[in-house]
Amino acid sequence: MQSLTTPIPHRTSNLRFVSGFTMLELMITITIIAIGLSLAAPSIRDTMANNQVAVANNSIVSGINLARSEAITRGNAVAVCPSNTGNGCNNGKWNRGWIVFDDTDGNATLATAEIIRVNRRNESVNRTGFAGIIVFQPDGTTTLGGARTMKICYADTGVTNKCRSITISRFGSVSSKETTG
């Protein structure tokens, strides 16, 4: 009789163990990953669309706020306008960028020496609505005569309702909110 402390001899086998995955395991794993990615792809696309609209929105809002702040600080008119080239204003092309300039002479026309900041963008967004020049007076009010609104939407037709609207009051305050496309 063997004592409880004596080890019992084990039989050894000539079988070799091979590590790795079987073809079935690999196919099941790939299928699960494909299903997960197909479920995640639409939400990633929506997130990218929201991000691009937010970047475009924040860019314009910061330009408008800079113009108002500079008008108050400098004590004279400062304007912000859409620009394709960064060298001059053009109505209706906020998609390509904007310029903030010191309008000391009060003619609402850009001269090279008056430029405060240029922002060039080419985001995949569409901007509609107000497309003109915004001139801020030294007291922070605008020469618009009333509130103006522009809408920024994601340009891809496969993504809907990714929009924001920017409203500039005649008193110079700027507000932004989500809207539907």
Side-chain angles (χ1 to χ4, degrees):
M1 177 171 194
Q2 291 184 336
S3 88
L4 293 175
T5 58
T6 308
I8 300 173
H10 295 286
R11 293 177 40 188
T12 59
S13 171
N14 290 337
L15 295 176
R16 292 185 350 197
F17 291 99
V18 179
S19 62
F21 298 105
T22 66
M23 183 59 83
L24 180 62
E25 291 170 331
L26 186 60
M27 293 304 290
I28 290 172
T29 303
I30 290 173
T31 302
I32 291 171
I33 290 172
I35 291 170
L37 288 176
S38 69
L39 294 174
S43 66
I44 291 170
R45 190 168 159 178
D46 285 351
T47 300
M48 288 175 50
N50 281 334
N51 187 35
Q52 289 185 8
V53 169
V55 166
N57 177 78
N58 293 343
S59 170
I60 293 174
V61 168
S62 71
I64 294 168
N65 284 333
L66 173 66
R68 183 172 191 245
S69 172
E70 288 294 319
I72 294 168
T73 303
R74 293 170 185 245
N76 61 300
V78 173
V80 61
C81 66
S83 174
N84 279 344
T85 62
N87 298 324
C89 296
N90 61 305
N91 287 335
K93 302 292 184 185
W94 288 94
N95 293 33
R96 302 288 181 171
W98 46 262
I99 298 175
V100 174
F101 64 94
D102 187 343
D103 192 29
T104 307
D105 52 15
N107 64 358
T109 304
L110 175 66
T112 307
E114 297 176 325
I115 293 176
I116 297 172
R117 181 168 298 159
V118 175
N119 185 315
R120 293 188 197 145
R121 292 276 187 230
N122 191 5
E123 301 103 358
S124 54
V125 295
N126 293 323
R127 294 179 179 97
T128 57
F130 178 69
I133 188 169
I134 305 166
V135 179
F136 288 94
Q137 300 301 319
D139 62 357
T141 60
T142 69
T143 58
L144 296 175
R148 298 289 191 268
T149 301
M150 72 175 69
K151 191 174 186 181
I152 302 169
C153 295
Y154 191 66
D156 185 354
T157 56
V159 178
T160 58
N161 296 329
K162 303 299 178 200
C163 298
R164 295 192 66 84
S165 68
I166 300 170
T167 303
I168 305 117
S169 77
R170 65 176 268 228
F171 301 108
S173 65
V174 180
S175 62
S176 173
K177 66 179 180 177
E178 288 187 33
T179 61
T180 58

